[in-house]
Amino acid sequence: MFRTALRNVSAHKARLLMTVLAVMLGVAFVSGTLVFTNSLSDALQKQSAKGFDHVDVAVTPRWKEGEGGRTGAYHELTRELVDASAAVPGAARAIGTVQGFTALADKDGKLIGDGFQSQGGNYWGAEDPRYPLVSGRAPKGEGEILIDSRTAERAGYEVGDTVRMSVDGPVLEPVVTGVFTTDDGNVAAGGSLTLFDTASAQKLFGKAGTFDEIAVEAKDGVSDTALRAQLEKALPSDAVETTTGTRLADDQAKAIASSMSGLKQGLLVFAGISLFVGTFIIANTFTMLVAQRTKELALMRAVGASRRQVTRSVLIEAFVVGTVAAVAGLVAGVGIGAGLRSLMGTLDAPMPDGPLVISPGTVGSAFVVGILVTMLAAWLPGRRAAKIPPVAAMSALHATATTKSLVLRNTLGALFSAAGVAVVLAATTMEGADGQAPMGLGAVLLIIGVFVLTPLLSRPLIAAVAPVLRVFGVSGKLARQNAVRNPRRTAATASALMIGLTLITGMTVMAGSLQKSIDKMAASAIEADYMVSMVNGRPLSSDVEKELKRADGVTATSPMRNAYASVDGQDEYLTGVNGATIGELTDFPMAQGAFEVDGTRAVVDEDTAKSYGWKAGSAFTLVREDGAKRKLTVSGVYQANELVRGILVDTAALDPHESEPADMMVMVKTADGTSDATKEALEKALGANPVITVQDKQDLSNEIAKMFTLILNMVYGLLAMAVIVAVLGVVNTLAMSVFERSQEIGMLRAIGLDRKGVKRMVRLESLVISLFGAVLGLGLGVFFGWAAGELVGSRMATYELVLPWGRMGLFLLLAAVVGVLAALWPARRAARLNMLQAIKAE
């Protein structure tokens, strides 16, 4: 039986090629994902470890403790603590580090990097071992800085150049006094690192006289644990805590691995989808191969082969096919991993240097996935073949599905579908994250149910296009009959396309609906003409609002200022606004009371009011970080949205307790409304700062739309693999169907059907199957998009379902194109059959 299985694989190499390709693509996706993420994780971990070369022990501040626990503030790391750290017997040196955000502009005034990797710090003394100088000298005073060598090369800066930069809003123009090298991961990721002398860094980052961390380096022969023990004795244990550099490197490595796991899991989900789609192709292929060898298998049964041996021979074939596909997929996956590394470099997201990591786990996963998926998909056709009675098979009386089996299949399909719909509908009545797991379960049940019912659905849906097919005469009639001749095969082929289009359509519906909701939210709640903020979402200096107030044409401004407080023992983040102007800049629907904010009154959103049992007129007490208490009255309860929520209080109630007020956003109202000229004037008033963005409501919506579009395009790209596998399935099914019907095609040619008619018949059959899968996919996608939207709507009052008719029409058109393209080779092959040889074929 083993030799027979190998002979069958050798005899059907061409017919198994598409199956090998389908499995290979899925395996390549899996192994490529593992190679890429493992390589990236390894490179980041090694580079991160270099950052601790000069840190044997790190001293960090502890939280201050109050009566109710943590106060929300840290103890301060002073110069005295740095000196005390340096004085312990095992310390070679101690460096006080200061870190903050620093945005650097290139010579065209544009921000270097995306803002999130643009960092600043301090250069310790005249020679800092952390940052070896390539050229120049250490900075002195606020007017001098150092920049990293990668940024200097990218922006074309040299020692002596004047640069434009910002820390929290206002523009600074210091001189570059030196260039240094660094292993900082943010710099490797395309950001920049700017260094000041220690006093300037402390002043600019709002940490006058204090440090974020003390990095202590041990003397030769002193271990990090021994140094840590000495520091714990010398420093106040209630104010600081110590961690060894080894522990920090290990923790960083774990954090990097954890962050990579999300990316890895996301990519593996799409790999799993393409493999799932590939199972339909494998099952179809082996079903047809087994059907073509019915007499052969029956003869083997007649001479003594058992059912188990017949099934085993089919599984051996699947094992060989899966092994070949796994090897090819692993090789292709290594190429994909290397290609993704190069692609990140071209997208201004360079990877740290490091080798390509091909772990034993990656190799094992490739073989397990390739072989297991192939054998599982081939098991059912093999088992079905073994159950055919030998006499019936040798008489070519293929056992068709019995009425009992059809009733059982359709009943199971109906039950799964009904259960899936019921669970999805139940999930739509839940709130937020509570409904995600039930909805996922319902979606899986519904897809399984529709797949089981697809043979039943194929007949009425394909019959619906019969009037159109009649236009093509005999070829159209034959195409329709061929498409419904074997409903199971048609269903499996169409289901491969259905899965891909279900996901694509669902994502498109969600993205369009969310964008509409964001537009509606901005239009309904925001009356301000412009929103001013930092490009990286960090706080603005309070000086920004002062500059905007002085700008020509500005009639009203209000900050959106974040602050921390305790209410009834629970931590809350407040939003400080200008109570006198906020009414002109917003228009929130009120559930109770009035939108009035001043030194004694605040407004809260419905969720906050519900959690505390407040209503209009309720009083509550804020406890600030410095221990100060302020009693406020709830003047009104408003309906929140994703832009503004929580407790809104007047800045006058916050500022006396804020050492450094910071605004997340400043709303601006102008006399002339929105226009390019007004926007340009506001930007000019802020010094044309590259790190500050001035947006109107449309700009805000466009930015969010850009994010949705980027995510959607990524999903399209990842799901393209599943669609490609589905196309291979259509090609494979048609090619094997043509071989199976060689005698029939020969007879059609003999009685007058020309080659064009044969090609048209095969193409129309492919078109019908593809459109059948597309219709099912679009229907399920719209349903899932609506259901997921109901979950989102429970948290977003402005959510509104939008059906992207244009894109859905495009998806249907693409499915038709897929059907036509997939039929090119099978149709050409069918038309080139020699009619006499085809008639004699068995």
Side-chain angles (χ1 to χ4, degrees):
M1 295 301 293
F2 181 74
R3 288 197 299 271
T4 301
L6 294 181
R7 179 184 62 78
N8 286 327
V9 172
S10 178
H12 301 129
K13 292 190 292 290
R15 288 180 238 169
L16 289 168
L17 177 62
M18 294 298 176
T19 300
V20 171
L21 284 174
V23 180
M24 184 200 79
L25 286 173
V27 172
F29 207 153
V30 171
S31 54
T33 294
L34 295 175
V35 168
F36 171 65
T37 53
N38 289 342
S39 299
L40 180 58
S41 179
D42 180 71
L44 288 172
Q45 286 177 21
K46 287 179 178 177
Q47 185 175 67
S48 173
K50 289 181 182 178
F52 297 104
D53 285 348
H54 298 283
V55 184
D56 289 309
V57 178
V59 180
T60 53
R62 290 185 181 275
W63 287 97
K64 289 181 178 179
E65 299 290 336
E67 294 180 3
R70 288 182 178 178
T71 62
Y74 285 103
H75 285 277
E76 293 181 342
L77 295 181
T78 61
R79 184 61 188 245
E80 289 74 21
L81 288 175
V82 176
D83 294 338
S85 300
V88 300
R93 67 170 60 87
I95 297 174
T97 66
V98 183
Q99 297 176 336
F101 168 72
T102 302
L104 194 66
D106 60 20
K107 290 185 176 181
D108 295 325
K110 295 181 180 178
L111 180 68
I112 296 175
D114 62 3
F116 290 93
Q117 287 99 16
S118 300
Q119 300 296 319
N122 67 311
Y123 190 82
W124 186 258
E127 187 176 349
D128 193 328
R130 300 172 299 165
Y131 307 114
L133 288 176
V134 176
S135 60
R137 61 170 176 80
K140 298 175 182 177
E142 291 183 36
E144 297 182 351
I145 62 167
L146 300 179
I147 60 175
D148 66 89
S149 55
R150 294 196 187 197
T151 298
E153 182 180 354
R154 183 167 37 162
Y157 284 134
E158 298 177 350
V159 173
D161 287 345
T162 299
V163 300
R164 290 173 60 82
M165 55 163 288
S166 174
V167 172
D168 59 358
V171 176
L172 304 175
E173 295 187 342
V175 175
V176 177
T177 63
V179 176
F180 63 91
T181 59
T182 178
D183 293 316
D184 188 280
N186 288 318
V187 174
S192 63
L193 179 59
T194 307
L195 301 179
F196 308 85
D197 68 272
T198 299
S200 299
Q202 290 174 326
K203 179 180 177 182
L204 289 168
F205 299 144
K207 302 167 184 176
T210 65
F211 301 91
D212 295 307
E213 183 180 288
I214 302 172
V216 188
E217 191 172 351
K219 291 179 179 178
D220 292 340
V222 179
S223 68
D224 55 3
T225 53
L227 177 60
R228 184 188 178 200
Q230 293 176 9
L231 288 167
E232 287 181 338
K233 290 181 181 179
L235 303 177
S237 59
D238 62 331
V240 302
E241 55 185 343
T242 57
T243 311
T244 64
T246 303
R247 174 65 181 275
L248 290 173
D250 291 342
D251 290 345
Q252 188 72 10
K254 290 177 182 177
I256 291 171
S258 177
S259 65
M260 286 294 102
S261 68
L263 173 64
K264 184 186 296 185
Q265 290 171 8
L267 291 173
L268 287 176
V269 166
F270 290 97
I273 292 169
S274 60
L275 282 168
F276 180 63
V277 171
T279 59
F280 296 117
I281 300 173
I282 301 166
N284 253 3
T285 301
F286 279 93
T287 297
M288 288 186 276
L289 286 175
V290 167
Q292 291 165 12
R293 302 205 316 267
T294 303
K295 287 187 178 181
E296 174 190 329
L297 294 174
L299 181 60
M300 291 169 62
R301 289 286 312 282
V303 297
S306 65
R307 287 185 176 182
R308 185 173 297 176
Q309 286 178 307
V310 171
T311 303
R312 193 181 302 147
S313 70
V314 175
L315 291 179
I316 291 172
E317 291 181 53
F319 176 82
V320 173
V321 170
T323 302
V324 172
V327 172
L330 177 60
V331 173
V334 173
I336 289 173
L340 285 173
R341 279 172 53 117
S342 301
L343 179 63
M344 286 189 69
T346 61
L347 296 176
D348 292 330
M351 278 185 60
D353 295 331
L356 205 62
V357 178
I358 306 170
S359 67
T362 300
V363 176
S365 298
F367 280 94
V368 169
V369 168
I371 295 171
L372 191 64
V373 168
T374 308
M375 292 184 69
L376 284 176
W379 175 76
L380 190 59
R383 184 172 177 273
R384 192 181 297 135
K387 292 176 68 174
I388 299 175
V391 175
M394 292 181 71
S395 303
L397 300 172
H398 303 308
T400 57
T402 63
T403 302
K404 181 180 178 182
S405 69
L406 291 175
V407 170
L408 178 62
R409 179 186 180 110
N410 294 336
T411 301
L412 285 174
L415 289 174
F416 270 99
S417 299
V421 171
V423 173
V424 169
L425 291 177
T428 61
T429 63
M430 302 178 184
E431 289 191 7
D434 295 339
Q436 291 178 3
M439 185 164 292
L441 174 63
V444 171
L445 290 174
L446 180 55
I447 288 176
I448 292 173
V450 171
F451 169 66
V452 174
L453 285 175
T454 305
L456 178 67
L457 298 173
S458 65
R459 291 186 178 276
L461 289 178
I462 292 176
V465 300
V468 178
L469 293 175
R470 290 196 192 101
V471 175
F472 299 96
V474 174
S475 297
K477 183 178 180 181
L478 291 171
R480 182 183 65 80
Q481 292 174 347
N482 291 335
V484 297
R485 178 184 297 183
N486 191 328
R488 286 184 176 180
R489 183 188 304 168
T490 298
T493 306
S495 294
L497 270 177
M498 178 191 78
I499 299 296
L501 281 176
T502 295
L503 296 171
I504 289 173
T505 304
M507 289 297 298
T508 304
V509 170
M510 277 293 297
S513 300
L514 283 171
Q515 182 55 47
K516 179 72 173 179
S517 303
I518 294 295
D519 290 343
K520 187 176 178 182
M521 179 191 304
S524 62
I526 306 299
E527 293 293 321
D529 294 319
Y530 293 98
M531 280 71 72
V532 179
S533 60
M534 299 278 272
V535 294
N536 64 346
R538 294 178 67 90
L540 286 162
S541 166
S542 55
D543 292 337
V544 172
E545 188 195 7
K546 296 174 184 175
E547 293 293 334
L548 289 169
K549 281 182 177 180
R550 289 195 289 264
D552 292 337
V554 173
T555 59
T557 64
S558 174
M560 302 294 286
R561 184 169 298 166
N562 284 1
Y564 171 86
S566 175
V567 179
D568 293 346
Q570 298 185 42
D571 294 341
E572 288 287 348
Y573 283 95
L574 314 176
T575 299
V577 298
N578 185 332
T581 60
I582 190 65
E584 301 177 53
L585 300 166
T586 59
D587 184 22
F588 289 102
M590 299 300 295
Q592 298 178 33
F595 198 93
E596 296 174 347
V597 179
D598 55 32
T600 60
R601 292 180 295 180
V603 292
V604 301
D605 67 339
E606 291 176 301
D607 288 343
T608 303
K610 183 178 179 181
S611 65
Y612 286 104
W614 293 342
K615 59 183 179 179
S618 298
F620 64 97
T621 301
L622 292 179
V623 181
R624 302 304 310 283
E625 295 177 9
D626 59 1
K629 297 181 180 181
R630 178 179 287 266
K631 189 173 182 180
L632 296 173
T633 302
V634 176
S635 63
V637 178
Y638 68 95
Q639 295 178 13
N641 58 38
E642 298 304 306
L643 298 177
V644 181
R645 61 175 58 250
I647 304 173
L648 271 59
V649 302
D650 196 286
T651 53
L654 299 182
D655 291 354
H657 312 285
E658 294 289 317
S659 58
E660 191 69 29
D663 303 333
M664 298 309 296
M665 179 191 296
V666 177
M667 293 185 175
V668 181
K669 188 83 170 176
T670 61
D672 299 327
T674 57
S675 68
D676 291 341
T678 303
K679 183 177 180 180
E680 186 177 343
L682 292 176
E683 291 174 340
K684 187 175 180 179
L686 296 172
N689 194 322
V691 77
I692 294 180
T693 177
V694 179
Q695 297 176 304
D696 59 22
K697 286 185 282 189
Q698 190 58 51
D699 291 333
L700 187 63
S701 295
N702 291 343
E703 182 179 339
I704 297 172
K706 189 185 298 183
M707 179 181 66
F708 286 143
T709 301
L710 177 62
I711 294 173
L712 197 59
N713 288 339
M714 288 175 60
V715 171
Y716 285 166
L718 293 169
L719 287 175
M721 184 70 73
V723 175
I724 291 171
V725 173
V727 172
L728 291 176
V730 178
V731 174
N732 202 25
T733 299
L734 291 173
M736 300 192 75
S737 180
V738 166
F739 178 84
E740 201 175 61
R741 302 203 309 263
S742 295
Q743 191 176 57
E744 175 188 321
I745 292 172
M747 289 294 295
L748 291 171
R749 289 289 314 284
I751 61 176
L753 188 64
D754 60 11
R755 289 185 173 182
K756 286 186 178 180
V758 172
K759 286 184 179 179
R760 191 180 301 120
M761 175 185 72
V762 176
R763 287 172 185 163
L764 289 172
E765 180 183 352
S766 175
L767 183 63
V768 166
I769 292 173
S770 297
L771 289 177
F772 171 52
V775 169
L776 289 179
L778 289 173
L780 285 174
V782 169
F783 176 70
F784 291 141
W786 165 81
E790 289 296 300
L791 273 186
V792 174
S794 67
R795 299 289 297 171
M796 185 182 289
T798 57
Y799 184 83
E800 178 183 340
L801 179 67
V802 175
L803 294 181
W805 295 107
R807 290 209 175 189
M808 289 195 293
L810 179 62
F811 296 156
L812 203 60
L813 179 62
L814 288 176
V817 172
V818 163
V820 173
L821 293 177
L824 289 179
W825 177 60
R828 186 169 178 270
R829 185 182 178 197
R832 291 168 63 89
L833 284 175
N834 183 294
M835 67 178 72
L836 294 179
Q837 291 179 352
I839 290 172
K840 291 190 297 180
E842 294 188 6

